[in-house]
Amino acid sequence: MEIIVGKTAGFCYGVKRAIDGVKEESKNNKLFCIGEIVHNRQVIEDLQNKGVNFVDDISKVHDAKSKVAIRAHGVKKEVYEIANKNKIDIIDYTCPNVLRIHEIAKEYAENGFYIILCGKKEHPENIGTISYCGKNYSVIQDEKELKEALKRFEKTNIKKLLVISQTTFSLKKFSLIEQTIKEELKDEENIIIKNTICRATELRQKETEELSKKVDLMIIIGGKNSSNTIKLYEIAQKCCRNSICIETAAELQIEKISKYEKIGIMAGASTPKESIDNVIKKLEKVNNEECLRV
């Protein structure tokens, strides 16, 4: 059996920065975190064991001596306002790519643009971004929702449109949305489309597609509630009919996958190296073979 692990599998820069920062701060301070620092159960449990307290609302932090960490996904602008008002010590681990999107949304909203945000409305990252979009915006996931958003845009009589994206949105979906907008609004002049999908996401999605075309089985490792992990799994399924998505090595059913000659492994941006290594070890133990990294 040949085991191939993607080069981009595992923590991205923003996630590593947030997790390392929270671990270090928790050594010397009572630390709260607004929401999950990243979408990975193993990471959250590890941080909880280190004394990190996860809360869903900053109003639940009453200890004036404690510090509050902002998750990698970011938060609504109101959280900063509440923290400032109550003199809560904030440590901001929002991914720089997410902060950039907040700045873009704020700038264009203040300049009278209608904003279309590509992604899931309920995703933590987008909840934060929406707070900077003003009153005139739509959140869409695909071309079908785009058509409804364009109808709302036209009804506002606003003549300026900005299109941005969740950092972990699908590259292919964004390209289709961009193409449709250009076709539908080809006579409009003030249409700004900014691909704000982060570079790490682009590389990970492209590598997943390429790798899954070369193997007999594709294993995606990551949290069940991780948006970028789910997208990797969707890509893998389209390119390799034998694709599975797991959080830990314990979910691997060796008797079912030992028949495959070539196995590809990719992991989401919030998947720790330990989870990836444990999957590799389990496969190598059964087959007594070295892991080939591409």
Side-chain angles (χ1 to χ4, degrees), residues 42-54:
Q42 289 71 43
V43 171
I44 298 303
E45 289 176 354
D46 178 55
L47 292 176
Q48 286 176 325
N49 291 335
K50 289 178 169 60
V52 179
N53 302 280
F54 292 92

Side-chain angles (χ1 to χ4, degrees), residues 114-255:
Y114 189 97
I115 298 175
I116 290 180
L117 171 60
C118 301
K120 291 185 177 180
K121 192 171 186 177
E122 66 276 12
H123 190 279
E125 179 187 318
N126 291 329
I127 290 172
T129 300
I130 288 168
S131 70
Y132 291 91
C133 289
K135 296 180 180 179
N136 297 302
Y137 71 90
S138 293
V139 184
I140 65 168
Q141 294 189 61
D142 50 39
E143 290 178 273
K144 183 179 178 181
E145 293 183 358
L146 170 62
K147 291 181 179 179
E148 293 302 315
L150 290 178
K151 287 179 182 177
R152 291 193 292 272
F153 166 58
E154 290 173 2
K155 287 180 180 179
T156 64
N157 289 319
I158 296 172
K159 301 301 180 183
K160 298 184 288 186
L161 175 66
L162 170 70
V163 182
I164 53 178
S165 171
Q166 181 179 327
T167 56
T168 56
F169 195 64
S170 164
L171 274 170
K172 288 194 173 182
K173 283 186 179 181
F174 188 83
S175 295
L176 287 171
I177 288 169
E178 180 178 13
Q179 182 181 341
T180 301
I181 289 174
K182 288 180 177 179
E183 291 173 354
E184 293 286 331
L185 304 176
K186 57 186 176 183
D187 296 326
E188 300 291 337
E189 293 182 2
N190 293 311
I191 308 299
I192 307 295
I193 300 176
K194 291 182 177 289
N195 180 354
T196 51
I197 298 171
C198 78
R199 181 62 174 160
T201 295
E202 289 188 19
L203 293 174
R204 199 184 309 270
Q205 290 183 9
K206 287 179 179 177
E207 187 178 20
T208 298
E209 182 176 359
E210 292 170 3
L211 180 56
S212 57
K213 290 176 180 177
K214 301 175 183 177
V215 298
D216 305 312
L217 172 69
M218 193 70 189
I219 300 174
I220 306 297
I221 310 169
K224 294 292 192 292
N225 60 338
S226 167
S227 177
N228 75 87
T229 297
I230 292 169
K231 288 180 179 63
L232 295 182
Y233 180 49
E234 290 172 350
I235 291 169
Q237 282 183 307
K238 290 179 180 178
C239 301
C240 178
R241 65 177 182 175
N242 301 309
S243 296
I244 60 174
C245 186
I246 61 174
E247 282 194 359
T248 67
E251 297 176 57
L252 275 179
Q253 297 179 310
I254 295 300
E255 66 278 4

